[in-house]
Amino acid sequence: MDVLYFAWVRERIGLPRERVETEAQTVRALVEELRAREDRYEMAFSDLSALRVAVDQRLTDFDASIAGAREVAFFPPMTGG
Amino acid sequence: MDVLYFAWVRERIGLPRERVETEAQTVRALVEELRAREDRYEMAFSDLSALRVAVDQRLTDFDASIAGAREVAFFPPMTGG
Amino acid sequence: MEVWVQEATFDVGQELNAFAKTAEGSGAVVSFTGITRDIAGGLRHMEIEHYPGMTERALGDIRLEAITRFDLTGARIIHRYGRLAPNEVIMMVLTAAPHRADAFKGAEFLMDYLKSRAPFWKREVTADGAEWVAAKDEDEDALKRW
Amino acid sequence: MEVWVQEATFDVGQELNAFAKTAEGSGAVVSFTGITRDIAGGLRHMEIEHYPGMTERALGDIRLEAITRFDLTGARIIHRYGRLAPNEVIMMVLTAAPHRADAFKGAEFLMDYLKSRAPFWKREVTADGAEWVAAKDEDEDALKRW
């Protein structure tokens, strides 16, 4: 699946999107896999309350299923308008 | 003083403004004087709850003083916007 | 002066652009445009009567009150009188503020007050004749929230 | 489609005129314009990042929700991304309804939702560097009234 990062999450991880092969069934499990990878992921995901997640372009929460998802995106609270 | 009429009050009385010499001290007293004049005034002033009044271009009520006023205007509730 | 009472039509887009320019640094600009509607069907035109002198004064007072209450950085009111065809612009209010909630509240306040406190009277002319538009209780009630 | 996500600037006056034309018979048209402000002083420019695809979808959903809730006869959203100088137009929402209260509520609802639910992120660039704008609690709280 494609994993996307925006704003300071993108900056901390150092790339805007990447292809991730995973057996994780939920957003939270995916986050744990990513955190275990490298410090930059650990840093980006250190405080989940400061993050928002979208699965297939719909806002959801960290307990949401990602089974069959095409893209998962992580980003800080939005500041549009 | 000048007495002005707007909207259907103007139509019932048949003129937009007139010069009135009066000793009346309040709007209510002025209205009583006008009502006593002719049927068209009686018709226009028959239901004061359907009327609004301005003294010197400021909205007020029928108990307001008209001592020294330059103009008194009678009209139905406003429908701007 | 930021209050216009006029017979001539005006371009709401031009007014918004001109106002937004004066509102630099404000963040939020709200506009309200009122358009003549043919509610019952068969409206030929609308006539708006007003009280010259008092109208300008009432709108000016309402404008200052809105600016004070909602910390507006700008407010403008344009209201027409005379004969208007269906789907013509009747009036417009514009507000600017640092915060969007204030710009919105300022515009709603201006609208609620000018509906029931500015000396305008509408008359609808149809094939059946002409009729003065009655004031609505809901417009009077709208003032109670402020 | 009544949702535009674009890098290019646009003319708010032209947009208001175009929208008001489509809103014939609606009586009430409300617009909100957001302008980049230099709050702290020293803003060189602002950068707006967004999530292509999701942005259009989120704005489209919010727009339909507003139309349903407030019986709008029309609604339009224009939001820019990329680099913006101070005092540039960031975004605009437009609503039309038979009644003014609905047009106002529709526009406020759209603003509240797109502030916190559409995937845009602002970054302010000053002489001291660049900083992501933090989301405000008051913006999240604003959603609770709907």
Side-chain angles (χ1 to χ4, degrees):
Chain A
M1 90 187 42
D2 287 319
V3 180
L4 287 70
Y5 311 110
F6 292 96
W8 58 253
V9 182
R10 172 179 53 69
E11 291 179 333
R12 288 194 192 171
I13 291 176
L15 77 181
R17 73 156 62 208
E18 60 186 321
R19 188 87 200 150
V20 172
E21 303 302 331
T22 180
E23 299 294 312
Q25 295 295 303
T26 66
V27 174
R28 203 176 293 278
L30 172 64
V31 167
E32 290 314 312
E33 280 189 20
L34 293 169
R35 285 176 78 158
R37 281 182 167 189
E38 282 179 55
D39 271 3
R40 56 197 172 101
Y41 290 95
E42 173 59 34
M43 229 178 65
F45 290 109
S46 60
D47 177 10
L48 292 192
S49 74
L51 291 181
R52 300 291 178 267
V53 60
V55 173
D56 286 339
Q57 305 191 350
R58 296 212 180 265
L59 271 183
T60 184
D61 54 64
F62 286 84
D63 295 318
S65 167
I66 56 170
R70 280 163 291 116
E71 68 186 46
V72 177
F74 297 100
F75 40 77
M78 293 150 278
T79 54
Chain B
M1 91 186 41
D2 287 320
V3 179
L4 286 72
Y5 310 110
F6 291 97
W8 57 253
V9 182
R10 172 179 54 68
E11 291 179 333
R12 287 193 193 171
I13 291 177
L15 78 179
R17 72 156 64 208
E18 60 185 321
R19 187 89 198 150
V20 172
E21 302 301 332
T22 179
E23 300 295 312
Q25 295 296 302
T26 66
V27 175
R28 203 176 294 279
L30 172 63
V31 167
E32 289 315 311
E33 279 189 22
L34 293 168
R35 285 177 79 158
R37 281 181 166 188
E38 281 179 56
D39 271 3
R40 57 198 172 101
Y41 290 94
E42 173 59 33
M43 228 176 67
F45 290 109
S46 61
D47 177 12
L48 291 193
S49 75
L51 291 182
R52 300 290 179 270
V53 61
V55 174
D56 286 339
Q57 304 191 350
R58 293 210 181 269
L59 271 183
T60 185
D61 56 63
F62 286 84
D63 295 317
S65 166
I66 55 170
R70 279 163 292 115
E71 69 186 47
V72 177
F74 296 101
F75 41 77
M78 291 151 278
T79 53
Chain C
M1 193 56 179
E2 296 284 276
V3 165
W4 280 272
V5 181
Q6 62 185 50
E7 192 157 7
T9 190
F10 60 95
D11 183 299
V12 293
Q14 263 176 35
E15 295 297 333
L16 176 57
N17 277 338
F19 181 76
K21 218 163 262 157
T22 70
E24 282 205 349
S26 285
V29 174
V30 168
S31 78
F32 178 91
T33 303
I35 298 167
T36 47
R37 292 196 286 158
D38 184 5
I39 298 170
L43 180 70
R44 285 187 177 166
H45 64 264
M46 183 170 272
E47 284 166 12
I48 301 179
E49 183 171 335
H50 81 117
Y51 181 171
M54 178 171 164
T55 310
E56 290 80 356
R57 176 182 291 213
L59 294 180
D61 288 351
I62 292 166
R63 176 180 173 272
L64 288 179
E65 175 75 17
I67 287 175
T68 309
R69 279 204 194 201
F70 303 105
D71 285 325
L72 304 181
T73 49
R76 196 170 282 181
I77 305 172
I78 308 161
H79 203 302
R80 296 176 62 194
Y81 59 86
R83 179 187 284 220
L84 283 83
N87 294 317
E88 270 195 71
V89 170
I90 304 176
M91 51 77 60
M92 184 177 199
V93 307
L94 296 144
T95 56
H99 299 289
R100 74 181 185 284
D102 289 326
F104 273 121
K105 276 190 225 148
E108 289 186 83
F109 175 90
L110 285 174
M111 285 307 302
D112 284 351
Y113 269 83
L114 82 76
K115 274 263 168 194
S116 309
R117 293 290 181 270
F120 291 102
W121 300 275
K122 292 196 189 103
R123 200 162 74 127
E124 290 178 343
V125 181
T126 65
D128 298 333
E131 208 158 330
W132 291 99
V133 173
K136 289 190 204 120
D137 288 342
E138 67 189 67
D139 285 331
E140 190 64 34
D141 290 346
L143 297 181
K144 290 179 190 151
R145 60 175 162 153
W146 303 110
Chain D
M1 193 56 178
E2 297 285 276
V3 166
W4 281 272
V5 181
Q6 62 185 51
E7 193 158 5
T9 190
F10 60 93
D11 183 299
V12 293
Q14 261 176 37
E15 295 298 333
L16 176 58
N17 277 339
F19 181 75
K21 217 163 261 155
T22 69
E24 282 203 350
S26 285
V29 174
V30 168
S31 79
F32 177 92
T33 303
I35 297 167
T36 47
R37 292 195 287 158
D38 183 5
I39 298 171
L43 180 69
R44 285 187 177 164
H45 64 265
M46 183 171 270
E47 284 166 14
I48 301 179
E49 184 171 334
H50 80 119
Y51 182 171
M54 179 172 163
T55 311
E56 290 79 357
R57 178 183 289 213
L59 294 180
D61 288 351
I62 293 166
R63 176 180 172 271
L64 288 179
E65 175 75 17
I67 288 175
T68 308
R69 278 204 196 200
F70 304 105
D71 286 325
L72 304 181
T73 48
R76 195 170 282 182
I77 305 173
I78 309 162
H79 203 303
R80 294 176 63 193
Y81 58 88
R83 179 187 286 219
L84 283 82
N87 294 317
E88 270 195 69
V89 171
I90 305 175
M91 51 77 59
M92 184 177 199
V93 307
L94 296 143
T95 56
H99 299 288
R100 75 181 185 284
D102 290 326
F104 273 121
K105 276 190 225 149
E108 289 188 83
F109 175 90
L110 285 174
M111 285 308 302
D112 284 350
Y113 269 82
L114 80 77
K115 274 263 169 196
S116 310
R117 293 291 181 268
F120 290 102
W121 301 275
K122 291 195 190 106
R123 200 163 73 126
E124 289 178 344
V125 180
T126 66
D128 297 332
E131 210 159 328
W132 291 100
V133 173
K136 288 188 205 121
D137 288 343
E138 67 189 66
D139 284 332
E140 190 63 34
D141 290 346
L143 296 182
K144 290 178 188 149
R145 60 174 162 154
W146 303 110

